[in-house]
Amino acid sequence: MLEQLLIFTRGGLILWTCKELGNALRGSPIDTLIRSCLLEERSGSASYNYDAPGASYTLKWTFHNDLGLVFVAVYQRILHLLYVDDLLSVVKKEFSEIYDLKRTSYNDFDDIFQQLKKEAEARAEEMKKSKQVGKSMNNNLARKLGNVLNGNMDGGNKKKSGGEPGNDRDSGNFKGRPLENGNISNNHIGKGEETMMVKNNGKENGISNTGAFDVNKLQKLRSKGGKKTETVSNKVSKEEPKKITKKNRVWDDSPKEAKLDFTDPGSENGEQHIAVVAADQGESMMDKEEIVSSDSESESEEEETSKNNKVDGKKKGWFSSMFQSIAGKANLENSDLEPALKALKDRLMTKNVAEEIAEKLCESVASSLEGKRLASFTRISSTVQAAMEDALTRILTPRRSIDILRDVHAAKEQGKPYVVVFVGVNGVGKSTNLAKVAYWLQQHNVNVMMAACDTFRSGAVEQLRTHARRLQIPIFEKGYEKDPAIVAKEAIQEASRNGSDVVLVDTAGRMQDNEPLMRALSKLIYVNSPDLVLFVGEALVGNDAVDQLSKFNQKLGDLSPSPDPRLIDGILLTKFDTIDDKVGAALSMVYISGAPVMFVGCGQSYTDLKKLNVKSIVKTLLK
């Protein structure tokens, strides 16, 4: 049974709901659909499943892009209603005819909807019956064919056993048959008898003699081939291989002296050297505004228009393309959008966006543009690019505040430290970027303490101790082979006693498929309830970004004993200075997790940490 059907504008104004279907929905499936699919550019999917306590719903929707309307149907997932897609299409068609921008109430649509629903249900029943009839007919035909084939096989076996005794070579029934030389064979097989045997067998089996196989010809070909191979091998053996002599290595006379020891020269406490480091590092890039030049945008637009002009000139005549650009196209169809979307998908994939994400984005853009009227003096490619740019900006823009400093001060007023846990796979730079975050917080007069909870990797505690000594930050450590959840808990208690504002928890790197380590991480998050869980990921990854983040979230949810488990809250992208224009990992990670990119690591020094510039990323992706 259909639970609810809703019509509303893209601005959020509800125009009509079916009063007879006014069932009380458990949870908020419509709001979740808007937040998770429509606003996050996942509207290219066919349906959306919503789980609530005691109910599971399936939501289907369609758009009228020209009028800016959204039609949503909700039904119980277990029912598998066949007529919902058909009902949505006919409701969209009928409602668009009576829609008026000035009207806000459509009570007269109730009777029309009831009639449309009955017709859709009747069509679904007829289709179901026709499928059942077709299945029964196919089964009957299959049975008849099986019987016929079985009868033919039985008849053929009888013929072979009774009517063709001469097929057996060992029975001696070849006696008295003429051979090629005119003699009659008895028990002796004469010259050329093999060829005649093949020919006779071909006649008996109904095969023409033109395609018969000749053994003599095969033997001649073999002998010729053998001679050729012998000559080739002789030639190869005659040619002696050339001796390759190794050239002597030439060393430079005066090599440049390079500094190989980067350890601190001072005393063990390193107080004098730390003051120098703090003075040299300067202001963190987090507090600097990045200026994006518009030169790249104008160049890309010129290139795009020139390409489109060439393509349009090949496909259409000059007059038709000019007329269409002036008059505008009536309504955009999927076939019109396909070439431009395919080019956009290829471009996104060359920028290191995961293939699955690029495909879903193009489907979402197509669904938002299909049926929309193309304005005059505009091209389809520019319209698609503008829609994709809006979609990318909407995805990469954080849905909530990511002002950590404000959250730190709010936690300080409550008398507790603000806890940040850094998680991620092996070798992405968690400890280094934790030190960068600590340096940035120090710049804003925040008391920071590090917690060395990577008790698995050798050298991890010493690495974090070095960063803490250089930045003059207290560190809490318990050594190796300890429970990281207990170490983090004791670190938070120590921070509360010492008056530290922020605790930065370093964890061991782990692959997303390593269940014991993922279970330990889930326990650490469950026991300590951190304020922020940061996933540290490389900007170099492509398709693996989807696998890493989705499985991290899945494991954190499945292995947590809490009914409402904590998942990843934000992303820290590392090695951003090594990727040039391959910035697609940021889009893939944000799309798959819904978490914003809060920090971007772009170098080796403590100041090389900055915010994600959404405009710059979008321009780079579409360039």
Side-chain angles (χ1 to χ4, degrees):
M1 179 182 175
L2 196 66
E3 296 288 329
Q4 186 59 269
L5 197 139
L6 191 71
I7 303 174
F8 56 93
T9 64
R10 285 186 180 270
L13 177 64
I14 298 175
L15 299 175
W16 179 84
T17 55
C18 184
K19 294 178 181 177
E20 293 187 4
L21 298 177
N23 301 326
L25 298 175
R26 296 175 183 240
S28 54
I30 305 291
D31 295 340
T32 308
L33 172 72
I34 294 171
R35 279 198 310 269
S36 302
C37 283
L38 305 187
L39 292 180
E40 289 295 317
E41 291 301 325
R42 293 179 174 88
S43 56
S45 306
S47 61
Y48 177 74
N49 293 328
Y50 176 81
D51 293 320
S56 297
Y57 298 113
T58 296
L59 290 84
K60 291 194 173 184
W61 64 91
T62 185
F63 300 117
H64 197 299
N65 292 309
D66 199 19
L67 300 178
L69 301 177
V70 185
F71 303 80
V72 181
V74 186
Y75 61 93
Q76 292 282 351
R77 192 188 308 169
I78 198 172
L79 295 179
H80 298 289
L81 300 181
L82 301 175
Y83 63 87
V84 174
D85 293 324
D86 184 24
L87 180 62
L88 282 173
S89 62
V90 294
V91 165
K92 179 175 80 169
K93 182 180 177 183
E94 293 294 331
F95 191 83
S96 59
E97 293 177 359
I98 64 170
Y99 175 68
D100 188 4
L101 286 171
K102 297 178 181 178
R103 287 182 64 182
T104 56
S105 177
Y106 292 89
N107 294 326
D108 54 340
F109 192 68
D110 293 343
D111 298 332
I112 300 173
F113 172 74
Q114 291 300 329
Q115 183 64 28
L116 294 175
K117 186 186 174 196
K118 288 177 183 177
E119 292 175 0
E121 288 175 348
R123 283 194 293 271
E125 285 295 326
E126 289 177 4
M127 190 181 297
K128 195 174 180 181
K129 288 178 182 178
S130 64
K131 283 183 179 179
Q132 290 176 354
V133 172
K135 281 183 181 178
S136 62
M137 290 177 67
N138 289 334
N139 291 334
N140 292 332
L141 284 172
R143 287 173 190 167
K144 289 179 181 179
L145 284 171
N147 293 333
V148 171
L149 288 171
N150 289 332
N152 288 339
M153 288 176 69
D154 293 340
N157 290 332
K158 288 177 183 178
K159 286 181 182 179
K160 283 181 183 179
S161 59
E164 293 184 1
N167 276 347
D168 192 1
R169 290 188 179 185
D170 296 332
S171 60
N173 285 323
F174 283 97
K175 293 178 181 180
R177 291 193 179 182
L179 299 178
E180 286 183 351
N181 55 6
N183 297 328
I184 294 176
S185 66
N186 291 321
N187 292 331
H188 179 69
I189 298 177
K191 187 179 179 181
E193 185 174 346
E194 290 181 1
T195 309
M196 185 56 66
M197 285 168 63
V198 173
K199 289 183 180 179
N200 288 333
N201 286 335
K203 286 180 182 178
E204 287 176 5
N205 293 327
I207 305 171
S208 62
N209 286 334
T210 55
F213 183 77
D214 195 348
V215 179
N216 295 329
K217 288 183 179 179
L218 177 63
Q219 290 175 353
K220 290 178 182 178
L221 289 171
R222 281 180 180 171
S223 62
K224 289 180 181 178
K227 290 177 183 177
K228 286 182 180 178
T229 52
E230 286 174 4
T231 54
V232 171
S233 61
N234 290 332
K235 286 180 181 179
V236 171
S237 61
K238 286 178 183 178
E239 292 179 0
E240 294 181 358
K242 296 179 180 179
K243 294 182 180 179
I244 300 172
T245 57
K246 185 178 178 180
K247 296 180 180 179
N248 295 327
R249 187 184 298 275
V250 179
W251 299 94
D252 293 334
D253 295 334
S254 57
K256 296 180 181 179
E257 295 182 359
K259 183 183 177 184
L260 300 178
D261 188 5
F262 289 94
T263 56
D264 298 335
S267 60
E268 289 186 0
N269 56 12
E271 291 179 358
Q272 294 179 352
H273 184 72
I274 287 166
V276 176
V277 169
D280 290 340
Q281 295 295 326
E283 187 182 3
S284 175
M285 295 175 68
M286 282 288 293
D287 303 318
K288 297 178 182 178
E289 291 293 331
E290 187 177 353
I291 300 171
V292 183
S293 63
S294 59
D295 298 336
S296 59
E297 185 181 8
S298 60
E299 288 175 5
S300 63
E301 286 179 358
E302 289 174 4
E303 289 177 3
E304 186 66 26
T305 51
S306 63
K307 286 180 183 177
N308 291 331
N309 288 335
K310 290 178 182 177
V311 172
D312 291 344
K314 289 178 183 177
K315 290 185 178 178
K316 300 186 245 183
W318 175 84
F319 182 77
S320 61
S321 60
M322 177 64 75
F323 180 77
Q324 182 169 319
S325 64
I326 294 173
K329 191 171 173 62
N331 285 313
L332 288 173
E333 298 176 359
N334 200 14
S335 58
D336 302 324
L337 301 170
E338 275 182 6
L341 286 173
K342 187 179 183 303
L344 263 182
K345 179 187 171 185
D346 295 340
R347 192 184 307 172
L348 289 174
M349 288 174 62
T350 57
K351 303 292 183 182
N352 220 12
V353 179
E355 182 181 2
E356 178 187 353
I357 306 300
E359 192 170 346
K360 287 182 179 178
L361 272 171
C362 291
E363 288 174 1
S364 180
V365 169
S367 65
S368 66
L369 289 177
E370 193 173 353
K372 197 173 184 179
R373 187 177 183 83
L374 189 66
S376 302
F377 297 101
T378 54
R379 295 185 176 276
I380 294 175
S381 57
S382 58
T383 304
V384 170
Q385 178 137 345
M388 181 63 80
E389 186 174 350
D390 293 340
L392 295 177
T393 305
R394 195 157 49 247
I395 290 169
L396 291 171
T397 303
R399 291 178 290 171
R400 58 178 177 81
S401 173
I402 56 171
D403 190 354
I404 293 180
L405 293 174
R406 189 187 67 179
D407 297 338
V408 167
H409 290 303
K412 188 177 180 180
E413 290 175 358
Q414 296 176 5
K416 63 176 185 178
Y418 187 84
V419 182
V420 184
V421 176
F422 292 76
V423 302
V425 299
N426 308 81
V428 293
K430 289 183 295 298
S431 303
T432 304
N433 285 276
L434 182 147
K436 293 180 186 179
V437 174
Y439 179 79
W440 171 66
L441 290 171
Q442 269 190 325
Q443 297 289 307
H444 293 274
N445 300 319
V446 176
N447 295 323
V448 184
M449 188 177 83
M450 295 181 180
C453 296
D454 184 355
T455 61
F456 184 77
R457 175 173 65 90
S458 300
V461 176
E462 287 80 5
Q463 180 186 3
L464 206 64
R465 190 188 300 155
T466 303
H467 287 303
R469 182 168 54 83
R470 288 173 64 87
L471 296 175
Q472 284 186 323
I473 290 175
I475 180 173
F476 186 88
E477 56 176 282
K478 286 287 185 180
Y480 296 100
E481 296 183 1
K482 301 292 191 301
D483 188 352
I486 304 302
V487 176
K489 187 175 182 179
E490 293 178 0
I492 295 169
Q493 293 171 354
E494 181 69 19
S496 300
R497 287 193 294 268
N498 295 340
S500 297
D501 301 327
V502 177
V503 180
L504 302 179
V505 180
D506 185 29
T507 62
R510 65 206 75 210
M511 295 306 294
Q512 60 270 22
D513 298 321
N514 192 330
E515 186 166 334
L517 286 177
M518 289 302 298
R519 192 179 294 277
L521 179 63
S522 180
K523 179 186 175 183
L524 185 148
I525 294 173
Y526 171 71
V527 169
N528 297 285
S529 299
D531 299 281
L532 184 66
V533 180
L534 271 182
F535 179 84
V536 184
E538 282 182 332
L540 303 169
V541 295
N543 290 325
D544 199 38
V546 177
D547 188 56
Q548 286 178 11
L549 262 169
S550 59
K551 286 190 176 178
F552 253 83
N553 267 335
Q554 181 186 349
K555 294 290 185 182
L556 289 178
D558 294 344
L559 301 176
S560 175
S562 173
D564 187 18
R566 281 289 302 279
L567 303 179
I568 292 167
D569 301 317
I571 299 167
L572 194 156
L573 269 180
T574 65
K575 307 176 186 178
F576 211 74
D577 55 324
T578 63
I579 57 171
D580 194 21
D581 62 343
K582 305 289 190 296
V583 296
L587 178 64
S588 300
M589 289 183 178
V590 173
Y591 188 92
I592 201 67
S593 67
V597 177
M598 306 185 75
F599 300 101
V600 175
C602 54
Q604 293 296 318
S605 63
Y606 292 128
T607 58
D608 292 332
L609 190 75
K610 62 181 181 180
K611 298 176 183 176
L612 183 75
N613 192 318
V614 176
K615 290 182 180 179
S616 173
I617 296 294
V618 172
K619 286 178 183 176
T620 306
L621 285 170
L622 298 177
K623 185 168 68 175

